[in-house]
Amino acid sequence: MPNNKTGMKKNLTNYGDTGFSIFLRKAFIKGLGYSDDMLGKKIIGITNTFSDYNPCHGNVPDLIKSAKAGILANGAIPLEFPTITIHESFANPTSMYLRNLMSMDTEEMLRAQPMDACILIGGCDKTVPAQVMGGISADVPIIQLVTGPMLTGSFRGERVGACTDCRRFWASYRAEDLNENDIDEVNNQLVPTVGTCGVMGTASTMAITTEALGLMIPNSACAPAVSADRKRIAEKTGEISVKIANENLNPSKFLNEKSFMNALTVLSAIGGSTNGVVHLTAMAGRLGINIDLRQFDKLTHNLPMIVDLKPSGVGYMEDLYKAGGSIRIFNELKDFLHLDAKLVNGNSLGEEIQKASKWKQYVITTKDNPVFKGGSIAVLNGTLAPGCAIIKQSAASPDLLVHEGKAVVFDNLEDLANRVDSEELEVSKDDVLVLKSIGPKGGPGMPEAGLIPIPKKLAKQGVKDMVRISDGRMSGTASGTIVLHVTPESYEKGPLAIVQNGDLIKLDVPNRKIDLLISEVEMNNRISVLSDNQIKRRGYNKLYMEEVTQADEGVDFKFLK
Ligand code: FES
């Protein structure tokens, strides 16, 4: 229902007497020491997603302090409130399983409480998508503030950062190139400060693409979590939040298809995380915008990748910030972007890009001298993935992008854990590793287990990469020839469910194909004998399993779209 009231009079608790509702509300909040003068102002909500379980959000209290200063200086009253927070390593079974729950929490708290605008403070992978999804659905004026990336550490003189290096060093430990003491020493250095992963992982991807979407103040995605700039960005976000409250600038008034095309273009050009495809699809779905992944492939097919950061390249987020940050990236991409797309501060993307300064640096390249040519993320299709599948080809081994090999199948994560390092496992470097049951329902929550470890006996021989296929996701910080998000997933009896050891699989990324080389008759016979899952469920798990969509629809709940 439209709500034309402002401040404390907004979203009143219903007792059947409006006067009493406001009287009671003010009586209670005065217990915190507010005066009538203060309570007559516009209210800016601030989501407090600090938690001891979420080190990526360790600077949230500082950011809230700075955002409050910006709000108060511009004549409104800041009120912080808690919502769910999610950290990648502290969410069982997976953070993705909880993303929609956080989005519902955010949406309903924005709807339920009195606020004229809201600053959404997030950072770790799922928090920003959840907040944007919830904010779009609530259609309250929102502005995103990210916690910012962590700094890098040092291991015996080598610069390291979460979490591309986490995976690289762990692979060396599995191959017995590092011993117990070495790996313990590495463990102390990977996360030297609070903040989000310092490479072009999902958190950095979502920060930059959310800025490209128009929901953050310009050039605010990359400043380190522990920098003074990050606090100034929070203060400025406070200032703009008052502006959007005064203008009643709901996201539906300026977000449109062009905004999402910009975000998808930027996603590909920065060599962003494959998770970004899922999240942007879900965010767009909340506005009724359908993102067709084949259209995404067409849009980005010839797009240069111009950011040289791990896992596709060599640098870290602090390097990107010093090179000019997100606005410098957008500037280099201006020929590919909708420059008339409006941003939350009221300006157009084109107006902001004009303000970007340029200097000599080596992190952001030009479209004529790209880090990778031809779309960092490719969308595949074929008899193994009739819906679609995706691969981050910029982070894959070029010699494996066209490959045919025998399937070595793992039925689920438990089977993988039990057998992948066994000396008895029959596997060679040319085989294709297939992992089932890690899709949206099978996981549940699409575990980031698509980076199937190289079997130990091959790792010890020096094998670093193989073609690996699953219906799950992989961390944005990971690399390798990894085919992900196979749709329909195996739990839903997609063709992945019927792959057997020894079946031939053909991957052809240049032609965007992924095929299981068995006859149609054989495929139908195998699918016809698959049995249904008959597990009794309750609570959120029941809701999740009944409502979650497949990867190509953003893994959102049907009833939230
Ligand atoms: Fe939080 Fe990587 S674990 S951003």
Side-chain angles (χ1 to χ4, degrees), residues 410-422:
F410 300 96
D411 287 330
N412 49 45
L413 284 172
E414 199 182 357
D415 184 32
L416 176 74
N418 287 339
R419 293 193 299 120
V420 72
D421 287 340
S422 162

Side-chain angles (χ1 to χ4, degrees), residues 325-363:
S326 35
I327 203 72
R328 176 76 186 261
I329 300 173
F330 303 162
N331 194 342
E332 292 296 341
L333 291 174
K334 58 178 180 273
D335 294 348
F336 305 97
L337 296 171
H338 295 282
L339 300 179
D340 57 339
K342 285 283 176 203
L343 313 178
V344 69
N345 68 353
N347 294 342
S348 70
L349 182 61
E351 284 168 323
E352 290 299 336
I353 282 175
Q354 272 179 3
K355 297 182 200 161
S357 341
K358 282 190 169 190
W359 56 90
K360 197 168 177 188
Q361 47 77 38
Y362 303 95
V363 180

Side-chain angles (χ1 to χ4, degrees), residues 238-354:
E239 177 195 321
I240 300 297
S241 70
V242 179
K243 183 171 181 282
I244 61 173
N246 289 334
E247 292 169 1
N248 202 15
L249 188 63
N250 302 343
S252 62
K253 290 186 181 153
F254 67 99
L255 285 187
N256 53 35
E257 216 161 324
K258 285 182 183 176
S259 325
F260 281 94
M261 290 304 114
N262 283 347
L264 288 165
T265 300
V266 167
L267 167 68
S268 176
I270 60 177
S273 163
T274 45
N275 288 317
V277 180
V278 177
H279 296 317
L280 286 170
T281 303
M283 290 175 182
R286 295 299 183 94
L287 271 175
I289 297 171
N290 179 38
I291 291 182
D292 177 343
L293 294 186
R294 286 181 195 94
Q295 197 189 337
F296 166 69
D297 193 85
K298 263 194 206 143
L299 177 78
T300 58
H301 206 100
N302 296 313
L303 194 73
M305 184 188 132
I306 58 161
V307 178
D308 193 6
L309 250 57
K310 291 184 177 198
S312 299
V314 297
Y316 293 87
M317 282 298 282
E318 62 193 66
D319 307 324
L320 176 57
Y321 188 58
K322 287 174 188 161
S326 35
I327 203 72
R328 176 76 186 261
I329 300 173
F330 303 162
N331 194 342
E332 292 296 341
L333 291 174
K334 58 178 180 273
D335 294 348
F336 305 97
L337 296 171
H338 295 282
L339 300 179
D340 57 339
K342 285 283 176 203
L343 313 178
V344 69
N345 68 353
N347 294 342
S348 70
L349 182 61
E351 284 168 323
E352 290 299 336
I353 282 175
Q354 272 179 3

Side-chain angles (χ1 to χ4, degrees), residues 404 424 548:
E404 186 174 315
E424 266 82 70
V548 76

